[in-house]
């Protein structure tokens, strides 16, 4: 698993799940849909993760569980059990005036073996419960290495309930990130200067009717790879086109992304020099502040860790190791650059069982991400998962500030994981 330019750096192996591995599960993501409720139909063990997370984060009142036994699965009565459970559930919700606008049916990977015709089932259920949209959702880890892995599939489901709207305004949607971009990002000011009346994200809406405003936007901006599939389908179904401008931490890439957005909006790109100068200044300050202290990056925290590594290395910051399970296409060019210019940098797969027999690092280092912190035993851990709303120049300066802050703090990783509701 050491670094090199050969393709087998990223092995296909058994899957190791560290106590620090986790984040946005598919149920938590699905519950972003306003006025929604979910029925999780699966063997009991499959629903454990989502149930515990929902309870710990106060989301339990929007999900119920139908636990399937081996007998109920092999009996062939699976679909009827779903219908019976929904009848009871709707009766319960109706009495409490809580009938949702969207009902999601979650199934686990066992459903793939049963071959349920979900399209027909959802249509039948919508006829049984007028005014309620039904969507089929999958918690299927076995699809992780396919073209539509779980996080991609669930994002597609999030936006599948948007209905075509003849009204178009100058707004734009931000797609791919499950946590909203930090409100102090320059993104909002820059887009406003480009003429974007509104910047919309799924987390902005409290009701399903308000959520439909996303169908009015003139453009989807995809800032994470997991959102592109959903945007392709939104373009086809409701006519909202998209531009892929992934979260970047290299100032030159951030500029290029804003220029492409401006071109798509038919606008001049505003002056980005002040933002860029602040970002480059922060890089210099961080280099001097760390004074050679090694930094370890984690793909679970930063979607494109080699792109960030390239940025930090060019600024003179000592990147020692990168934890990356897979090399995603949008990070391939930066991976090659890092390997060509800094061949001593180590590459590790956080889910490869070999990491369990590695010795802990024997020097003080700063781990950007939970799994990197756990696996290495780093004293200093940057509390970040799933990029935490970082975007643009301000995203870079905020991340650098987190790295500097972590340098001065001995982290309590267990407390960090408890606060992040990481459940294995």
């Amino acid at each position: 698993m050491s670094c090199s330019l050969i393709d087998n750096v990223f092995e296909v192996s058994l899957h190791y799940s560290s106590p620090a591995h986790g984040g946005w599960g598919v149920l938590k993501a699905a519950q972003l849909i306003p006025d929604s409720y979910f029925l999780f139909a699966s063997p009991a063990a499959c629903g454990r993760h989502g149930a515990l997370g929902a309870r710990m984060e106060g989301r339990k009142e929007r999900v119920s569980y139908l636990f399937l036994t081996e007998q109920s699965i092999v009996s062939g009565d699976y679909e009827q059990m779903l219908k019976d459970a929904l009848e009871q559930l709707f009766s319960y919700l109706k009495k409490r005036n809580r009938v949702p606008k969207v009902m999601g049916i979650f199934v686990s990977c066992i459903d793939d073996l049963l071959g349920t015709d979900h399209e027909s089932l959802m249509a039948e259920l919508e006829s049984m419960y007028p005014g309620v949209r039904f969507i089929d959702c999958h918690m299927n880890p076995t699809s992780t290495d396919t073209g539509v892995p779980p996080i991609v599939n669930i994002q597609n489901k999030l936006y599948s309930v948007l209905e075509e709207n003849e009204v178009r305004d100058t707004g734009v949607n931000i797609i791919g990130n499950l946590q909203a971009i930090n409100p102090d990002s320059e993104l909002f000011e820059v887009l406003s200067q480009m003429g974007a009346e509104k910047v919309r994200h799924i987390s902005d809406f409290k009701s399903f009717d308000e959520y439909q405003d996303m169908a009015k936007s003139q453009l989807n901006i995809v800032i994470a790879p997991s959102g592109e599939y959903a945007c392709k389908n939104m373009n086809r179904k409701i006519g909202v086109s998209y531009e892929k401008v992934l979260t970047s931490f290299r100032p030159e890439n951030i500029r290029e992304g804003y220029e492409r957005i401006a071109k798509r909006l038919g606008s001049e790109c505003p002056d980005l020099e002040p933002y860029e100068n602040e970002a480059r200044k922060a890089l210099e300050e961080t280099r001097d502040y760390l004074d050679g202290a090694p930094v370890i990056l984690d793909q679970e925290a930063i979607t494109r860790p080699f792109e960030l590594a390239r940025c930090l290395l060019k600024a003179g910051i000592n990147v020692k190791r990168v934890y990356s399970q897979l090399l995603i296409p949008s990070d391939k060019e930066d991976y090659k650059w890092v390997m060509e210019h800094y061949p001593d940098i180590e590459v590790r797969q956080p889910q490869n069982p070999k990491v369990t027999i590695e010795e802990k690092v024997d020097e003080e280092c700063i781990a950007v991400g939970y799994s990197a912190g756990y696996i290495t035993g780093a004293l200093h851990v940057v509390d970040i998962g799933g990029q935490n709303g970082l975007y643009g120049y301000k995203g870079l300066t905020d991340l650098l500030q987190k790295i500097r802050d972590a340098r001065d703090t001995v982290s309590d990783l267990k407390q960090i994981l408890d606060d992040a509701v990481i459940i294995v």
Side-chain angles (χ1 to χ4, degrees):
M1 288 191 295
S2 61
C3 67
S4 72
L5 286 175
I6 58 177
D7 292 335
N8 65 2
V9 169
F10 300 97
E11 298 181 60
V12 177
S13 69
L14 293 174
H15 184 107
Y16 166 68
S17 184
S18 84
H21 171 66
W24 281 81
V26 289
L27 174 60
K28 181 178 179 179
Q31 287 182 313
L32 285 171
I33 301 175
D35 289 333
S36 62
Y37 199 98
F38 294 88
L39 175 62
F40 210 111
S42 71
C46 301
R48 168 186 168 276
H49 183 282
L52 287 174
R55 185 174 184 84
M56 293 171 70
E57 292 189 315
R59 297 179 283 106
K60 179 64 181 70
E61 75 282 357
R62 292 175 55 207
V63 58
S64 295
Y65 287 83
L66 171 62
F67 289 136
L68 305 174
T69 64
E70 183 176 353
Q71 180 180 358
S72 63
I73 292 168
V74 301
S75 69
D77 202 29
Y78 173 54
E79 288 191 27
Q80 187 57 50
M81 289 180 65
L82 273 175
K83 295 173 187 177
D84 293 343
L86 283 168
E87 183 178 357
Q88 295 179 46
L89 181 55
F90 272 102
S91 176
Y92 171 86
L93 294 172
K94 187 175 182 180
K95 290 177 181 177
R96 289 157 180 79
N97 196 29
R98 290 179 53 199
V99 175
K101 295 289 183 69
V102 177
M103 175 64 76
I105 311 297
F106 259 104
V107 295
S108 64
C109 48
I110 197 168
D111 184 84
D112 291 76
L113 302 176
L114 297 174
T116 307
D117 184 346
H118 287 284
E119 186 174 343
S120 296
L121 178 60
M122 296 304 112
E124 182 181 354
L125 292 173
E126 288 186 357
S127 68
M128 294 170 62
Y129 301 96
V132 180
R133 290 286 303 275
F134 281 82
I135 56 173
D136 60 297
C137 304
H138 294 256
M139 188 199 73
N140 187 353
T142 61
S143 67
T144 300
D145 58 354
T146 69
V148 188
I151 192 60
V152 172
N153 186 49
I154 200 62
Q155 290 218 32
N156 184 49
K157 297 299 180 180
L158 292 181
Y159 304 105
S160 69
V161 296
L162 294 176
E163 300 166 358
E164 187 173 8
N165 196 320
E166 295 181 359
V167 176
R168 281 282 187 271
D169 59 26
T170 60
V172 297
N173 299 324
I174 306 299
I175 307 291
N177 56 319
L178 299 173
Q179 182 172 329
I181 293 173
N182 293 341
D184 61 351
S185 171
E186 81 285 343
L187 171 73
F188 303 100
E189 182 178 349
V190 170
L191 288 176
S192 177
Q193 293 181 53
M194 292 179 186
E197 177 186 4
K198 296 181 181 296
V199 180
R200 298 180 171 112
H201 182 259
I202 188 172
S203 64
D204 297 337
F205 304 100
K206 302 302 181 184
S207 74
F208 184 71
D209 291 339
E210 292 173 347
Y211 179 43
Q212 294 298 320
D213 283 351
M214 292 192 78
K216 297 178 182 178
S217 294
Q218 62 176 320
L219 182 69
N220 286 327
I221 299 176
V222 184
I223 72 167
S226 56
E228 186 174 9
Y229 179 71
C231 284
K232 288 180 179 179
N233 284 327
M234 288 172 72
N235 188 20
R236 177 177 57 83
K237 291 173 61 179
I238 63 175
V240 180
S241 62
Y242 73 94
E243 185 73 23
K244 185 165 70 171
V245 188
L246 302 180
T247 298
S248 175
F249 296 101
R250 293 177 59 203
E252 56 268 42
N253 284 358
I254 297 171
R255 172 180 287 274
E256 188 270 339
Y258 279 135
E259 289 174 347
R260 281 195 288 113
I261 294 172
K263 185 176 181 180
R264 284 298 298 266
L265 295 178
S267 170
E268 291 292 327
C269 187
D271 182 17
L272 302 175
E273 200 69 26
Y275 307 119
E276 191 163 327
N277 289 340
E278 283 295 315
R280 295 193 183 279
K281 180 182 177 182
L283 283 166
E284 294 174 2
E285 290 176 350
T286 303
R287 176 199 61 205
D288 296 342
Y289 195 82
L290 298 184
D291 192 25
V295 175
I296 297 175
L297 305 180
D298 184 346
Q299 190 178 44
E300 292 177 13
I302 304 297
T303 304
R304 297 193 292 163
F306 295 103
E307 199 259 2
L308 175 59
R310 182 173 180 176
C311 171
L312 299 181
L313 289 165
K314 289 184 72 174
I317 296 170
N318 179 21
V319 178
K320 174 186 177 69
R321 184 180 297 175
V322 176
Y323 281 94
S324 178
Q325 184 63 23
L326 298 170
L327 181 60
I328 62 175
S330 58
D331 211 19
K332 191 171 185 178
E333 179 185 340
D334 293 303
Y335 165 74
K336 289 182 176 179
W337 186 94
V338 169
M339 295 296 97
E340 288 171 358
H341 292 83
Y342 295 87
D344 293 333
I345 288 180
E346 303 163 353
V347 176
R348 299 287 188 269
Q349 290 177 292
Q351 296 168 25
N352 191 310
K354 293 179 183 178
V355 301
T356 63
I357 59 174
E358 290 180 357
E359 294 183 1
K360 303 295 185 181
V361 295
D362 57 0
E363 59 184 321
E364 286 200 24
C365 60
I366 305 158
V368 181
Y370 309 140
S371 283
Y374 175 81
I375 294 168
T376 63
L379 290 178
H380 312 286
V381 179
V382 177
D383 184 1
I384 179 175
Q387 300 190 153
N388 282 127
L390 302 177
Y391 192 82
Y393 298 110
K394 190 63 167 60
L396 173 58
T397 59
D398 284 351
L399 177 60
L400 293 171
Q401 182 64 59
K402 290 176 181 291
I403 292 173
R404 295 197 298 272
D405 291 344
R407 180 69 179 88
D408 296 329
T409 306
V410 176
S411 302
D412 182 345
L413 184 59
K414 183 179 183 304
Q415 186 60 52
I416 289 175
L417 297 180
D418 287 346
D419 293 342
V421 195
I422 301 295
I423 303 166
V424 177

